[in-house]
Amino acid sequence: MTDTRPVPLRAVRGASVSAVRLQGVDVARAIALLGMMAAHIGGIADELDWTAPGTWSAVAHGRPSTLFAVLAGVSIGLTSGRTEPPEPPTIGRVRARLAIRAVVVVLIGFALMALDTPVYVILPTYGALFLLVVPVLRLRPAALLAIAAVCALLSPLVALTIAPAYSGADMIGVQLGLVYPVVTFLTYVLVGLAVARSGLEARGRQVALLASGSVAAVTAYVAGALLAPTPPDAAWAFPGVPYAGEGSTPAEALAQFFLSPRDHSSSIVDVVGTTGVAVAVIALCTLVFDGHGRTAERIAFPLAAVGSMPLTIYSGHLVVIALLPEYPESGAAWGWFALGSVVFAMLWRRFLGRGPLERVVGALAGLVPVR
């Protein structure tokens, strides 16, 4: 997790990198955080059926974590030069700072796993993803998207290949690469980095991203629903692992592995669909909340405050879950968690600025000078 405010670098051509914070990115990150909370404690429906409004809460399965990962890539891009990543030796220092952030995020993730809540903690995977994108920070958007496409195609194959290795894994073990497969989630981070490198601040780019993300999501989900309908026993499927369903024919199993629209299936359709949703949400939030003056900033502030301190809010909600005598799981519980997160973030942001864990991570990364 990184801040959306870029470090004071000089771009390739010597122009200063803008320090304008994108409120829309923070709002989108808040949506991801609150969506993950809903998946954890909201008592949401197991399967999404667009013809049954009572199941619509199931949109919180898979999509918030994907949005969070794409936003991680966006933030990495915004903090490393935006559309013009710096040249050596500055880029080396930027990479070192990102590597430090990665290690700290992994350590915080392990600490949260030690709380022994029934929540799959995503932070160790995030830290690994930060390290994996260190070598590609200077690539152009086209190259980043090409690598992301390869990862998306490999996603179901890798997920199936590694699954047997976790046959005897405990709750801790499955959180290290199975529930959040690294190749699958690397797709999301690379797309987010490409989005930042393409110039997210430009209004025309925002519209293009909104349109392309929406088209990609709709096309993927429609194709998946037609070619590989979710099997009736999909509730038995394990997150992150492709699932064919009891009694499937070889052809049906193959379709499920590669084209299933099921959330957290790691199929190509799942990866493309959730990526499209994430890109569209980010584009819509920046389109609505950035570049419209103080009124838009005030409207955005409650959610933007939450999104400005993702590591603090994410970690805080898991600590609260661990401290409660019983595991909360209802819409009312999610409402209280969401309200508490918004109030805390607004007060902290208003009077103290940067989130507490963000300050710690920033201070450690700041041990490497950027000039």
Side-chain angles (χ1 to χ4, degrees), residues 46-68:
D46 292 328
E47 295 291 337
L48 176 63
D49 181 356
W50 289 112
T51 64
T55 69
W56 290 357
S57 61
V59 296
H61 285 307
R63 294 171 188 83
S65 58
T66 297
L67 175 57
F68 210 41

Side-chain angles (χ1 to χ4, degrees), residues 17-327:
V17 178
S18 171
V20 175
R21 189 179 186 98
L22 294 177
Q23 296 289 321
V25 171
D26 285 334
V27 171
R29 195 181 291 109
I31 292 172
L33 286 163
L34 297 178
M36 286 192 291
M37 287 185 196
H40 297 160
I41 62 171
I44 60 178
D46 292 328
E47 295 291 337
L48 176 63
D49 181 356
W50 289 112
T51 64
T55 69
W56 290 357
S57 61
V59 296
H61 285 307
R63 294 171 188 83
S65 58
T66 297
L67 175 57
F68 210 41
V70 175
L71 283 163
V74 170
S75 296
I76 290 171
L78 294 179
T79 57
S80 60
R82 301 201 175 197
T83 58
E84 295 289 349
E87 295 179 344
T90 303
I91 189 63
R93 301 188 187 105
V94 173
R95 287 173 171 146
R97 289 166 70 107
L98 181 58
I100 292 173
R101 289 178 182 273
V103 172
V104 177
V105 167
V106 169
L107 293 176
I108 293 174
F110 280 126
L112 294 174
M113 290 166 64
L115 296 175
D116 200 26
T117 69
V119 174
Y120 296 127
V121 179
I122 200 171
L123 295 188
T125 299
Y126 269 42
L129 294 170
F130 288 175
L131 290 175
L132 289 174
V133 299
V134 163
V136 300
L137 289 183
R138 281 189 47 78
L139 293 185
R140 308 308 301 169
L144 293 169
L145 291 176
I147 300 173
V150 172
C151 290
L153 293 173
L154 292 176
S155 173
L157 294 173
V158 173
L160 280 172
T161 301
I162 67 172
Y166 291 86
S167 58
D170 58 9
M171 179 65 175
I172 297 294
V174 298
Q175 295 178 72
L176 302 177
L178 183 64
V179 176
Y180 301 112
V182 172
V183 172
T184 304
F185 275 74
L186 182 58
T187 305
Y188 304 140
V189 177
L190 289 170
V191 170
L193 182 55
V195 167
R197 291 285 183 256
S198 68
L200 185 56
E201 303 91 334
R203 191 69 66 203
R205 181 65 63 184
Q206 293 164 1
V207 173
L209 289 170
L210 175 59
S212 58
S214 300
V215 169
V218 171
T219 302
Y221 285 128
V222 169
L226 293 175
L227 300 175
T230 302
D233 59 346
W236 294 102
F238 197 82
V241 182
Y243 180 76
E246 192 70 27
S248 297
T249 66
E252 290 171 339
L254 192 64
Q256 286 296 323
F257 291 156
F258 289 95
L259 303 174
S260 173
R262 178 177 63 84
D263 304 319
H264 274 311
S265 66
S266 298
S267 73
I268 297 172
V269 162
D270 176 40
V271 174
V272 174
T274 52
T275 300
V277 170
V279 170
V281 169
I282 294 167
L284 180 61
C285 289
T286 53
L287 193 62
V288 171
F289 293 109
D290 286 301
H292 298 293
R294 296 293 297 172
T295 300
E297 291 181 10
R298 293 189 186 98
I299 294 172
F301 181 68
L303 289 179
V306 172
S308 72
M309 50 188 77
L311 191 56
T312 296
I313 298 299
Y314 180 86
S315 302
H317 100 278
L318 292 181
V319 171
V320 173
I321 289 174
L323 292 175
L324 292 175
E326 294 183 1
Y327 185 74

